[in-house]
Every structure is written in structure tokens, then in C-alpha cells.
Amino acid sequence: MDYSPGLSIATATFEITVAIWALRGPGNRSIIRTTAAILLFLAGYQIFEVGICANSAASGFLPRLAFIDVAWLPPLGLLLIAKLQRPRSRLTYGNAYAMFAAALGIVVWIALDGGFVSSSVCNTLFARYTNPMPRFTIYAGFYWLGLLGMIVHSGYGVRTCSDPHRRRLLFQVFAGTLAFLIPSLVVSSYLAPAEGALPSVMCHFALIFAVFLTRLIYLERKPAEEEHTPAVAHSG
């Protein structure tokens, strides 16, 4: 079946809309901006996939750009977790910055390596990429290490965070990460059209993660909005 861009377009629209809503509202600016950045990078992949699948044979640099876009997500996720943790964790910040350094190296490598993606095939809802080994093994190792770090650090934060509000926000990251990873692995393993398309499948299921991030933004904004809401006088 021909590729249908509707899901990608709808997902990108939702993620961009939430990011704009977040940036225009109250709340801790560092947390809000990091969360909005994650949403915009998630939307970026959806946009690139639509461009790739519009004409996969002539997609040029777009497949590599899609992998470059996705490379920034684990470091941003770890940075968000580090900003949420209380007490502040130097280990989490250190891991986040190490992932940013690794991501920068990988981004430069992909940009210069014209053979990183040798072909792209689109089918119904998913894009399937061919990546020569061991290139993809290195990239996948970096990416899965980042996701594992997000699960471990956010899960630890949920158990140990001294601030109940921050603990609720950390839970959104922890639950959201698991909620998109598990179905991604199941679908890519057992649904025939999704076999071999794990990167695309994960980015589509990341809509679930985006919903949890939307909840995180709502929870972060709510106290600030209540502070600025004038009290209503009641007569006896």
C-alpha cells in the first residue's frame, strides 16, 4: 500500500501546537523550554518522514537529516530529567552532557557520511531505512543507551525526589518513555508492515510520549496560573 502522510502530519501538528502553548505560558522556563524542544524535535522527524516518503528515490539528504533530528532526543530527555530532580543530581547532569557530546559527534558523522542511509522504502504508515553495518549498530547503541538512561534516572527520581511536584513531573517522563517503547517493540516484532521499521515505528508511538509531556507542561503551568488568578470575593 502507498504511504499515507496523514498520521505524521497530525502528529507533528499536535507536537508543534503543544510546544507553542508551552512557550507562551507560565512555569519554570528551563523545564518548559527543554520540554518544548523535545516536542519540536519529535515533530521534526514526522515532517522529514513526510518529505522522504513523498519521493523516497529522490529524498537526498532527508533520511540522514531524520536520523540527525532523532539523535538529539535522548540527550534532551536526560537533561529534562536532570532539571526535574531534587536534590540536584550531578550524575544525571553529567550523563546528559556526555550524551550531548556523543550526539554532536554522531551528528557530524552522519552529515559527512553519505552512505549512512543507503535506501528508504515507505509502506502505509512507516518508513523503512537501510543502514550499512556497523554504522547502524553504533547509532542504535548510542540511542538505546540514552533511552535506558532516561528510564533509570527518571524511575530513580520518582522514588527519591524530595519535591512532590517535581516527583509528579518525573513520573510523566518515566511512564511516557515506557508507554511508547513497549508498544514500539511489540509492533515492530509482530506486525508485518512494521518489520524492519523500528526507528519509524518508535517515532510514531512517541506521540504517546508527547501526550505525557503535555501532561507534564500542564502540571508545571497549573501552580503558576493559580498564583496569578485573582481571588473572587464572596459576599455573606
Side-chain angles (χ1 to χ4, degrees):
M1 295 176 63
D2 291 336
Y3 176 81
S4 175
L7 178 60
S8 289
I9 293 171
T11 300
T13 301
F14 170 76
E15 291 162 347
I16 292 170
T17 300
V18 174
I20 294 171
W21 167 70
L23 292 170
R24 289 182 173 178
N28 182 298
R29 302 317 298 166
S30 182
I31 293 172
I32 293 292
R33 288 169 182 160
T34 306
T35 308
I38 294 171
L39 289 164
L40 291 173
F41 274 99
L42 287 172
Y45 174 83
Q46 303 296 335
I47 294 168
F48 294 139
E49 184 173 287
V50 171
I52 292 164
C53 293
N55 186 356
S56 57
S59 55
F61 186 67
L62 280 180
R64 282 187 285 157
L65 195 56
F67 280 90
I68 286 173
D69 177 281
V70 171
W72 295 111
L73 291 172
L76 283 168
L78 283 168
L79 181 61
L80 175 60
I81 294 165
K83 290 176 183 292
L84 292 173
Q85 285 182 329
R86 289 294 181 273
R88 188 179 188 274
S89 170
R90 290 197 297 177
L91 175 62
T92 309
Y93 269 106
N95 288 342
Y97 294 143
M99 285 296 293
F100 271 109
L104 179 59
I106 283 176
V107 163
V108 172
W109 165 39
I110 295 174
L112 297 176
D113 184 359
F116 183 82
V117 183
S118 58
S119 66
S120 307
V121 178
C122 300
N123 186 350
T124 315
L125 296 175
F126 306 115
R128 187 178 292 104
Y129 305 98
T130 301
N131 304 83
M133 299 297 179
R135 293 175 174 91
F136 188 66
T137 302
I138 296 171
Y139 183 92
F142 153 80
Y143 196 78
W144 282 104
L145 183 63
L147 292 178
L148 178 62
M150 288 177 60
I151 294 169
V152 170
H153 284 293
S154 61
Y156 181 76
V158 169
R159 289 181 58 86
T160 63
C161 185
S162 59
D163 183 332
H165 173 65
R166 296 291 184 98
R167 189 161 58 244
R168 290 180 72 191
L169 302 186
L170 281 163
F171 179 77
Q172 306 309 310
V173 181
F174 175 72
T177 303
L178 289 176
F180 94 88
L181 276 180
I182 294 172
S184 296
L185 293 171
V186 171
V187 167
S188 63
S189 298
Y190 298 105
L191 187 65
E195 289 180 5
L198 182 59
S200 178
V201 172
M202 288 176 64
C203 286
H204 284 298
F205 273 106
L207 173 60
I208 300 172
F209 185 46
V211 171
F212 276 89
L213 292 181
T214 303
R215 171 73 174 165
L216 184 154
I217 294 165
Y218 168 77
L219 293 172
E220 175 58 28
R221 287 179 56 156
K222 189 176 180 182
E225 289 174 342
E226 289 174 348
E227 284 180 12
H228 291 87
T229 300
V232 177
H234 295 278
S235 59

